Amino acid sequence: MLKVGVIGCGAIGIEICRAIDRGIVKAQLSAVHDRSIENCEGLLASLVNKPAILPPDEMISNADIIVECASAQAVREFGVNILEMGKDLMVLSAGAFRDSGLLERLTDTARAHHCRIYIPSGAIAGIDGLKSAAVAGINKVTLTTTKNPKGLKGAPFIEKNNINIDSYREKTLLFEGNADEAIAAFPANVNVAVSLSLAGIGIEKTHVRIFVDPGAKRNIHEVSVEGDFGKFTCRVENVPSPGNPRTSYLAALSAIATLKKITEPLQIGT
Ligand SMILES: NC(=O)c1ccc[n+]([C@@H]2O[C@H](COP(=O)([O-])OP(=O)(O)OC[C@H]3O[C@@H](n4cnc5c(N)ncnc54)[C@H](O)[C@@H]3O)[C@@H](O)[C@H]2O)c1
Protein backbone atom coordinates (compact mmCIF):
# COMPACT_ATOMS: atom_id res chain seq x y z
CA MET A 1 0.00 0.00 0.00
CA LEU A 2 1.27 3.50 -0.88
CA LYS A 3 2.80 5.19 2.16
CA VAL A 4 2.01 8.91 2.34
CA GLY A 5 3.85 11.55 4.36
CA VAL A 6 2.30 15.00 4.76
CA ILE A 7 4.15 18.29 5.35
CA GLY A 8 1.71 20.92 6.63
CA CYS A 9 -1.09 20.16 9.07
CA GLY A 10 -3.29 23.14 8.18
CA ALA A 11 -6.57 23.41 6.26
CA ILE A 12 -5.48 21.25 3.29
CA GLY A 13 -3.36 18.79 5.30
CA ILE A 14 -6.27 17.98 7.59
CA GLU A 15 -8.59 17.16 4.67
CA ILE A 16 -5.98 14.94 2.99
CA CYS A 17 -5.20 13.04 6.20
CA ARG A 18 -8.91 12.54 6.98
CA ALA A 19 -9.52 11.19 3.46
CA ILE A 20 -6.79 8.58 3.97
CA ASP A 21 -8.03 7.84 7.50
CA ARG A 22 -11.58 7.22 6.17
CA GLY A 23 -10.36 4.96 3.38
CA ILE A 24 -11.37 7.37 0.57
CA VAL A 25 -7.75 7.02 -0.60
CA LYS A 26 -6.39 3.48 -0.43
CA ALA A 27 -3.08 4.44 1.15
CA GLN A 28 -1.37 4.46 4.49
CA LEU A 29 -0.69 7.76 6.23
CA SER A 30 2.77 6.99 7.58
CA ALA A 31 3.78 10.31 9.15
CA VAL A 32 3.13 14.04 9.31
CA HIS A 33 5.38 17.03 9.88
CA ASP A 34 4.63 20.68 10.67
CA ARG A 35 6.75 23.43 12.21
CA SER A 36 3.83 23.89 14.63
CA ILE A 37 3.55 20.91 16.95
CA GLU A 38 0.09 22.19 18.05
CA ASN A 39 -1.13 21.88 14.44
CA CYS A 40 0.25 18.33 14.25
CA GLU A 41 -1.49 17.36 17.48
CA GLY A 42 -4.73 19.06 16.43
CA LEU A 43 -4.72 17.05 13.21
CA LEU A 44 -3.96 13.75 14.95
CA ALA A 45 -6.87 14.35 17.35
CA SER A 46 -9.27 14.17 14.38
CA LEU A 47 -7.93 10.82 13.08
CA VAL A 48 -8.76 7.26 14.08
CA ASN A 49 -5.48 5.77 12.79
CA LYS A 50 -2.86 8.15 14.06
CA PRO A 51 0.37 8.58 12.05
CA ALA A 52 3.72 9.40 13.63
CA ILE A 53 4.79 13.02 14.03
CA LEU A 54 8.34 13.01 12.71
CA PRO A 55 11.15 15.42 11.81
CA PRO A 56 11.41 15.96 8.02
CA ASP A 57 14.17 13.44 7.17
CA GLU A 58 12.59 10.59 9.13
CA MET A 59 9.17 11.39 7.69
CA ILE A 60 10.55 11.36 4.16
CA SER A 61 12.43 8.08 4.56
CA ASN A 62 9.26 6.40 5.93
CA ALA A 63 7.05 7.34 2.95
CA ASP A 64 6.71 6.62 -0.79
CA ILE A 65 5.23 10.03 -1.57
CA ILE A 66 5.37 13.31 0.32
CA VAL A 67 2.46 15.73 0.01
CA GLU A 68 3.55 19.31 0.56
CA CYS A 69 0.61 21.43 1.76
CA ALA A 70 2.55 23.93 3.87
CA SER A 71 4.10 26.90 2.03
CA ALA A 72 6.35 27.87 -0.88
CA GLN A 73 9.14 28.02 1.71
CA ALA A 74 8.56 24.32 2.49
CA VAL A 75 8.91 23.44 -1.23
CA ARG A 76 12.28 25.23 -1.28
CA GLU A 77 13.31 23.67 2.06
CA PHE A 78 12.39 20.03 1.43
CA GLY A 79 11.74 19.56 -2.32
CA VAL A 80 15.21 18.55 -3.54
CA ASN A 81 15.85 16.37 -0.49
CA ILE A 82 12.57 14.45 -0.98
CA LEU A 83 13.42 13.64 -4.60
CA GLU A 84 17.07 12.84 -3.85
CA MET A 85 15.78 10.30 -1.33
CA GLY A 86 13.92 8.67 -4.22
CA LYS A 87 10.42 9.72 -3.11
CA ASP A 88 7.64 11.23 -5.19
CA LEU A 89 6.49 14.75 -4.36
CA MET A 90 3.07 16.39 -4.55
CA VAL A 91 3.15 20.20 -4.39
CA LEU A 92 0.12 22.28 -3.36
CA SER A 93 2.10 25.51 -2.93
CA ALA A 94 2.49 25.79 -6.70
CA GLY A 95 3.35 29.49 -6.31
CA ALA A 96 6.87 28.27 -5.40
CA PHE A 97 7.33 27.49 -9.11
CA ARG A 98 7.14 31.14 -10.01
CA ASP A 99 10.88 30.57 -9.56
CA SER A 100 11.49 28.61 -12.77
CA GLY A 101 15.00 27.74 -11.53
CA LEU A 102 13.46 25.81 -8.61
CA LEU A 103 11.09 23.93 -10.90
CA GLU A 104 13.95 23.02 -13.23
CA ARG A 105 16.12 21.86 -10.30
CA LEU A 106 13.32 19.69 -8.92
CA THR A 107 12.45 18.29 -12.35
CA ASP A 108 16.11 17.41 -13.04
CA THR A 109 16.40 15.74 -9.61
CA ALA A 110 13.16 13.82 -10.18
CA ARG A 111 14.43 12.60 -13.54
CA ALA A 112 17.80 11.52 -12.06
CA HIS A 113 16.12 9.61 -9.23
CA HIS A 114 13.18 8.19 -11.27
CA CYS A 115 10.58 10.05 -9.21
CA ARG A 116 7.53 12.11 -10.08
CA ILE A 117 6.31 15.57 -9.14
CA TYR A 118 2.54 16.03 -9.00
CA ILE A 119 0.86 19.45 -9.06
CA PRO A 120 -2.89 19.00 -8.50
CA SER A 121 -5.35 21.32 -10.26
CA GLY A 122 -6.07 23.09 -6.96
CA ALA A 123 -9.05 25.39 -6.77
CA ILE A 124 -9.68 25.67 -10.52
CA ALA A 125 -11.35 23.57 -13.18
CA GLY A 126 -10.16 23.37 -16.78
CA ILE A 127 -6.54 22.16 -16.47
CA ASP A 128 -7.56 18.96 -18.30
CA GLY A 129 -8.89 20.94 -21.29
CA LEU A 130 -5.93 23.32 -21.18
CA LYS A 131 -3.46 20.43 -21.31
CA SER A 132 -5.22 18.99 -24.34
CA ALA A 133 -5.40 22.40 -26.01
CA ALA A 134 -1.67 23.00 -25.40
CA VAL A 135 -0.82 20.10 -27.72
CA ALA A 136 -1.79 22.50 -30.54
CA GLY A 137 -1.61 26.31 -30.33
CA ILE A 138 -3.04 28.49 -27.53
CA ASN A 139 -3.51 32.24 -28.07
CA LYS A 140 -4.84 33.39 -24.73
CA VAL A 141 -5.29 32.18 -21.13
CA THR A 142 -7.02 34.41 -18.57
CA LEU A 143 -7.69 33.74 -14.89
CA THR A 144 -10.26 35.99 -13.23
CA THR A 145 -10.42 35.61 -9.46
CA THR A 146 -13.03 37.19 -7.20
CA LYS A 147 -12.73 36.98 -3.43
CA ASN A 148 -14.27 38.40 -0.29
CA PRO A 149 -11.97 40.96 1.45
CA LYS A 150 -11.32 38.32 4.16
CA GLY A 151 -9.67 36.07 1.58
CA LEU A 152 -7.27 38.79 0.39
CA LYS A 153 -6.20 40.31 3.72
CA GLY A 154 -2.48 40.51 4.42
CA ALA A 155 -1.39 40.12 0.77
CA PRO A 156 1.78 42.11 -0.11
CA PHE A 157 -0.15 44.07 -2.79
CA ILE A 158 -2.69 45.24 -0.17
CA GLU A 159 -0.03 46.16 2.40
CA LYS A 160 2.35 47.85 -0.08
CA ASN A 161 -0.39 50.03 -1.53
CA ASN A 162 -1.92 50.84 1.89
CA ILE A 163 -5.29 49.51 0.71
CA ASN A 164 -8.07 49.34 3.28
CA ILE A 165 -9.56 46.11 1.98
CA ASP A 166 -12.66 46.48 4.18
CA SER A 167 -13.55 49.82 2.61
CA TYR A 168 -14.95 48.38 -0.66
CA ARG A 169 -18.74 48.50 -0.97
CA GLU A 170 -19.03 46.80 -4.36
CA LYS A 171 -17.14 44.42 -6.64
CA THR A 172 -13.93 46.22 -7.75
CA LEU A 173 -10.96 45.29 -9.94
CA LEU A 174 -7.98 45.31 -7.58
CA PHE A 175 -5.20 43.92 -9.76
CA GLU A 176 -4.49 43.13 -13.38
CA GLY A 177 -1.22 41.74 -14.74
CA ASN A 178 0.56 38.56 -15.76
CA ALA A 179 0.76 35.45 -13.56
CA ASP A 180 4.28 36.33 -12.45
CA GLU A 181 3.15 39.72 -11.13
CA ALA A 182 -0.01 38.17 -9.64
CA ILE A 183 1.81 35.60 -7.53
CA ALA A 184 4.22 38.27 -6.23
CA ALA A 185 1.30 40.50 -5.30
CA PHE A 186 -0.93 37.74 -3.81
CA PRO A 187 1.37 34.78 -3.00
CA ALA A 188 -1.07 32.91 -0.77
CA ASN A 189 -4.05 33.43 -3.05
CA VAL A 190 -3.23 32.62 -6.64
CA ASN A 191 -1.19 29.41 -6.62
CA VAL A 192 -3.65 28.46 -9.34
CA ALA A 193 -2.18 31.18 -11.59
CA VAL A 194 1.12 29.30 -11.58
CA SER A 195 -0.38 25.82 -12.17
CA LEU A 196 -2.41 27.31 -15.01
CA SER A 197 0.74 28.88 -16.49
CA LEU A 198 2.67 25.62 -16.28
CA ALA A 199 -0.11 23.71 -18.03
CA GLY A 200 -0.62 26.41 -20.67
CA ILE A 201 1.43 29.27 -22.12
CA GLY A 202 3.75 30.20 -19.25
CA ILE A 203 3.88 32.72 -16.47
CA GLU A 204 4.62 35.79 -18.61
CA LYS A 205 1.73 35.29 -21.05
CA THR A 206 -0.99 34.08 -18.66
CA HIS A 207 -3.23 37.03 -17.81
CA VAL A 208 -4.65 37.45 -14.26
CA ARG A 209 -7.36 39.75 -12.91
CA ILE A 210 -8.26 39.90 -9.22
CA PHE A 211 -11.51 41.41 -7.98
CA VAL A 212 -12.48 42.14 -4.38
CA ASP A 213 -16.19 41.73 -3.68
CA PRO A 214 -17.62 42.35 -0.18
CA GLY A 215 -20.74 40.46 -1.25
CA ALA A 216 -18.82 37.33 -2.36
CA LYS A 217 -19.48 34.32 -0.14
CA ARG A 218 -17.31 32.10 -2.32
CA ASN A 219 -13.86 32.26 -3.97
CA ILE A 220 -14.62 32.48 -7.68
CA HIS A 221 -12.03 31.39 -10.25
CA GLU A 222 -12.89 31.73 -13.94
CA VAL A 223 -10.48 30.29 -16.51
CA SER A 224 -10.82 31.31 -20.18
CA VAL A 225 -8.75 29.71 -22.90
CA GLU A 226 -8.60 30.43 -26.64
CA GLY A 227 -6.60 28.47 -29.18
CA ASP A 228 -6.57 26.27 -32.29
CA PHE A 229 -9.18 23.99 -30.64
CA GLY A 230 -11.70 26.83 -30.20
CA LYS A 231 -12.36 28.36 -26.78
CA PHE A 232 -13.70 27.42 -23.36
CA THR A 233 -14.52 29.06 -20.06
CA CYS A 234 -14.68 27.28 -16.70
CA ARG A 235 -16.08 28.99 -13.65
CA VAL A 236 -15.81 27.58 -10.14
CA GLU A 237 -17.59 29.12 -7.16
CA ASN A 238 -15.48 27.73 -4.38
CA VAL A 239 -16.62 27.17 -0.83
CA PRO A 240 -13.82 28.52 1.40
CA SER A 241 -12.11 25.97 3.58
CA PRO A 242 -13.42 26.12 7.18
CA GLY A 243 -9.84 26.23 8.52
CA ASN A 244 -8.52 28.97 6.21
CA PRO A 245 -10.69 31.49 4.27
CA ARG A 246 -7.87 32.06 1.74
CA THR A 247 -7.99 28.39 0.75
CA SER A 248 -10.79 26.85 -1.31
CA TYR A 249 -12.15 23.46 -0.26
CA LEU A 250 -11.71 22.22 -3.85
CA ALA A 251 -7.92 22.63 -3.50
CA ALA A 252 -7.83 19.95 -0.79
CA LEU A 253 -10.21 17.76 -2.80
CA SER A 254 -7.93 18.06 -5.86
CA ALA A 255 -5.00 16.72 -3.83
CA ILE A 256 -7.16 13.83 -2.58
CA ALA A 257 -8.31 13.10 -6.15
CA THR A 258 -4.68 13.11 -7.33
CA LEU A 259 -3.75 10.59 -4.62
CA LYS A 260 -6.71 8.44 -5.72
CA LYS A 261 -5.48 8.65 -9.32
CA ILE A 262 -2.01 7.48 -8.24
CA THR A 263 -3.38 4.55 -6.25
CA GLU A 264 -6.07 3.30 -8.65
CA PRO A 265 -5.65 1.37 -11.92
CA LEU A 266 -8.26 3.30 -13.94
CA GLN A 267 -7.15 6.79 -15.07
CA ILE A 268 -9.88 9.11 -16.33
CA GLY A 269 -9.26 12.56 -17.78
CA THR A 270 -6.21 14.16 -19.37
N1 LIG B 1 -2.82 24.93 -5.51
C1 LIG B 1 -3.90 25.52 -5.02
O1 LIG B 1 -4.93 25.69 -5.66
C2 LIG B 1 -3.88 25.98 -3.59
C3 LIG B 1 -5.08 26.42 -3.00
C4 LIG B 1 -5.04 26.81 -1.69
C5 LIG B 1 -3.86 26.83 -0.98
N2 LIG B 1 -2.71 26.44 -1.58
C6 LIG B 1 -1.43 26.46 -0.85
O2 LIG B 1 -1.31 25.26 -0.11
C7 LIG B 1 -0.56 25.53 1.08
C8 LIG B 1 -1.36 25.03 2.30
O3 LIG B 1 -2.59 25.73 2.40
P1 LIG B 1 -3.46 25.67 3.75
O4 LIG B 1 -4.70 26.44 3.49
O5 LIG B 1 -3.54 24.27 4.24
O6 LIG B 1 -2.53 26.53 4.74
P2 LIG B 1 -2.60 26.61 6.33
O7 LIG B 1 -1.99 27.92 6.69
O8 LIG B 1 -3.96 26.30 6.82
O9 LIG B 1 -1.62 25.42 6.79
C9 LIG B 1 -0.25 25.40 6.47
C10 LIG B 1 0.47 24.58 7.52
O10 LIG B 1 1.81 24.36 7.08
C11 LIG B 1 2.72 24.67 8.12
N3 LIG B 1 3.97 25.13 7.49
C12 LIG B 1 4.14 26.21 6.69
N4 LIG B 1 5.40 26.29 6.27
C13 LIG B 1 6.06 25.24 6.80
C14 LIG B 1 7.41 24.79 6.75
N5 LIG B 1 8.34 25.44 6.04
N6 LIG B 1 7.73 23.67 7.42
C15 LIG B 1 6.82 23.00 8.16
N7 LIG B 1 5.51 23.37 8.25
C16 LIG B 1 5.15 24.49 7.60
C17 LIG B 1 2.03 25.72 8.98
O11 LIG B 1 2.51 25.69 10.31
C18 LIG B 1 0.56 25.28 8.89
O12 LIG B 1 0.21 24.36 9.89
C19 LIG B 1 -0.28 27.04 1.10
O13 LIG B 1 1.01 27.31 0.60
C20 LIG B 1 -1.32 27.59 0.16
O14 LIG B 1 -0.91 28.82 -0.44
C21 LIG B 1 -2.70 25.99 -2.86
Side-chain angles (χ1 to χ4, degrees), residues 7 30 33-35 44 58 63 70 94 99 112 125 129 141 156 165 172 191 193 200 230 234-235 244 259 262:
I7 300 180
S30 54
H33 169 76
D34 196 294
R35 63 185 168 200
L44 259 63
E58 264 181 79
D99 172 359
V141 179
I165 197 75
T172 309
N191 287 286
C234 278
R235 177 185 161 96
N244 183 350
L259 278 175
I262 294 168

Side-chain angles (χ1 to χ4, degrees), residues 7-14 33-36 39-40 68-75 77-78 91-95 119-124 187-192 195 221 241 243-244 246-248 250-252 254:
I7 300 180
C9 300
I12 294 181
I14 285 177
H33 169 76
D34 196 294
R35 63 185 168 200
S36 154
N39 288 5
C40 288
E68 173 286 319
C69 42
S71 57
Q73 171 61 29
V75 181
E77 229 174 299
F78 307 116
V91 173
L92 268 296
S93 306
I119 305 175
S121 302
I124 52 172
N189 283 284
V190 284
N191 287 286
V192 289
S195 352
H221 290 303
S241 170
N244 183 350
R246 283 192 302 272
T247 288
S248 303
L250 189 66
S254 83

Side-chain angles (χ1 to χ4, degrees), residues 183-203:
I183 197 78
F186 297 90
N189 283 284
V190 284
N191 287 286
V192 289
V194 174
S195 352
L196 200 63
S197 305
L198 295 175
I201 52 175
I203 204 156

